[in-house]
Amino acid sequence: MQSESPVNILLVDDQPENLVALEAILGDLGANLVKSTSGEEALRCLLQDDFAVILLDVQMPQMDGFEVATLIRHRQRSRDTPIIFLTAFSSNEQFMFKGYALGAVDYLIKPIAPNILLSKVAIFIELFKKSEALRQKTEMLQQQTQALQQQAAQLEAINTELQTSEERFRLLSACSPLGVFVTDTEGYCVYTNPRFQSICCGSAETQPQQSWLVSVHPDDLAVAHSTWAAYLEDGQDYSQEFRFQSEETAHRWVSIRSARLVSEQKQFLGYVGTVEDITERKLAEAASAQVIREQAARQEAETANRMKDEFIAVLSHELRTPLNSILGWSHLLRSRNLDPQKIDYAISTIERNAITQKQLIEDILDVSQIVRGKLQLHCQPLDLAAIAQTALETVRPSAEAKAIALVDNLQDTARLEIVGDALRLQQVVWNLLTNAIKFTPQQGRVDLHLTVVADLAHAPVSPPPPYAPGYAQLQIRDTGMGIAADFLPHIFDRFRQADSSTTRAQGGLGLGLAIVYHLVEQHQGYVWADSPGPNQGTTFTVALPLVPVTAAAAPSSSLRDNPVGVAPRALADMSILIVEDDTDTREYLAFLLQSQGAIVTTAATAEEGLELLGATQPALLLCDISMPDMDGYTLIQKIRAELPAPQAQIPAIAITAHARLSDQTEALANGFQQHLPKPVEPEVLLQTVLRVTGTTA
């Protein structure tokens, strides 16, 4: 039997030694003695607990015992708590009368006789215990009475509910918009409502044991059986959508839901589930999805058309602008009214703008190959520092023209061994440097730094390939215009520019960075851009996987060396046949070669060239590829197969506007010794002629 809790006795005295004395006297009563040194503290104690008796000192500072007693009696909870006043003023009857008037049960004079105090307090403790027991019994009787009344009300409600439950269930079952089924613990149906039978194409006479599985469309039946079997095994809530066979249409969509059926005593009784026809919802979802797809396609098409229109407008501008200078200065040169200085300036301007057009065309061709997946690389071991140095020297004049400081660490960088296409990687670095110089104002700064990093864990790129022992990281940082945060994700998109309006400050087609991204990606590398914002500069980072030093072979540079100067009349008395259908190109090539002493014969068609070659014995053939009636490939094949020696073995150079790597491969495979893309630089052509013919310059 659990022992009863000790009663509380409140001791109130401003002298701690008096409290200790009281505690010593009353300690054997087994009560919980709560001590308080002020009236305020005593009142706080009364807010928390009930007390069998209060021993209250009369003389206390701030609030005396009478004031405390008055406040105690004003509180409903402590109104009847016995109070014994303790005082040292034994001769003052006024205090005694005042104490009794406030409801005190006793008035003891200090010093207090311990046995008297002990007996008086013991009596109040006993009275408190009996009062508490009586109160508890009264509360218990009240609770029992209330419980009986509640039980009676509940029984009456249950009886009423039992009378109506059968009718309610019948109405719910008959009128429910959902099909309802109940199964036993093995999953066999023991009840189905009319809506279930309607959805499952049954009738009122359909046996309840027939499961919804018998109505599932054959194409969904295997999935339905497997998911239902798994549900019966693990007991989790079931929710699936299947097609049901239908007499009216090809099929109808149905949602099946089920849960375990458990009694109030936690006994597993089986499963309860619903079957809902969701055909209309599925049709609406399909229609909505179609609308969304059409809207997305329309928006994508509109965006593509807008970008195409912007690109065409930019392309027109970028092509017409240099043409304006070329045609304008050409017209002025024809007038022959220019002084020698202006003539040199005009020729320089024409050449510079022609080079600009050439770069635009090469960018467009590169993007075309990228889109068709035809861009090929000639990969071999390379030194990235050497490639960066070459690109840096190429753009240095452009930087000096704008007083832009070029800062690099290439002289302090050891060889960084990578595998790649030297020309294409030089194109990457050149594009990024050119871009940085273009968007950096006068007297700005462009930094190029090469470093080695172990991984790309902190870079905003996809996870690096596991085979890379490290990365050569090239960073190009400028102090230019910067890039807005909302445009950074599109910086490498084709045909996208931050400003494509007619008021834009910089030119270009917006293809350079797209080409850079693809070339770096083709080298198994990564490239990304960072910018704090507009007018705060931009940093482009290229990371290319390094190769182990032991695996790297000695590099054979595939960079196109600058041709050495060709001596005057280096082609003296060399017989050359030119086959070219374009008159201007044909006359330009003839004039160039004749100026070097060559004896040139020209043909406008492949048939004419074949006849001339059969009648003469030139030392070299320069041949275009795209020509009417017979192209250059067919011509060289006929020469190699049909003509007698020595004409059949004539050295041949293909000069063509087909500048792709695949075009070069095809030219060599068909019998040409060299392939030169148009426009052809004079010194490159002369060096190639000397090399193919084995002539020393």
Side-chain angles (χ1 to χ4, degrees), residues 168-232:
R168 183 187 302 115
F169 178 79
R170 188 188 66 79
L171 291 174
L172 287 174
S173 176
C175 302
S176 172
L178 300 177
V180 179
F181 65 91
V182 179
T183 76
D184 58 18
T185 57
E186 299 298 324
Y188 295 103
C189 282
V190 297
Y191 169 79
T192 60
N193 72 337
R195 181 57 177 162
F196 175 93
Q197 298 159 12
S198 173
I199 294 175
C200 295
C201 300
S203 63
E205 291 76 22
T206 301
Q207 295 296 323
Q209 290 77 12
Q210 291 182 351
S211 169
W212 56 269
L213 290 168
V214 300
S215 302
V216 177
H217 193 279
D219 293 343
D220 295 349
L221 191 57
V223 176
H225 274 291
S226 63
T227 56
W228 183 251
Y231 164 66
L232 295 179

Side-chain angles (χ1 to χ4, degrees), residues 402 404 431-442 445-446 478-483 491 497-499 504-508 510 513 535 537-538 540:
K402 296 178 67 175
I404 293 175
N431 269 345
L432 293 178
L433 285 171
T434 302
N435 210 56
I437 293 170
K438 178 195 297 185
F439 291 101
T440 299
Q442 295 278 346
R445 172 171 170 156
V446 173
D478 63 61
T479 58
M481 301 173 56
I483 303 172
I491 193 69
Q497 299 186 79
D499 182 9
R504 63 191 186 132
Q506 305 296 336
L513 291 180
N535 301 317
T538 305
F540 282 90

Side-chain angles (χ1 to χ4, degrees), residues 424-466:
R424 290 303 186 181
L425 289 177
Q426 183 177 338
Q427 182 181 1
V428 167
V429 182
W430 182 87
N431 269 345
L432 293 178
L433 285 171
T434 302
N435 210 56
I437 293 170
K438 178 195 297 185
F439 291 101
T440 299
Q442 295 278 346
Q443 299 181 344
R445 172 171 170 156
V446 173
D447 291 82
L448 185 151
H449 278 227
L450 271 176
T451 56
V452 174
V453 295
D455 56 52
L456 304 179
H458 301 293
V461 297
S462 302

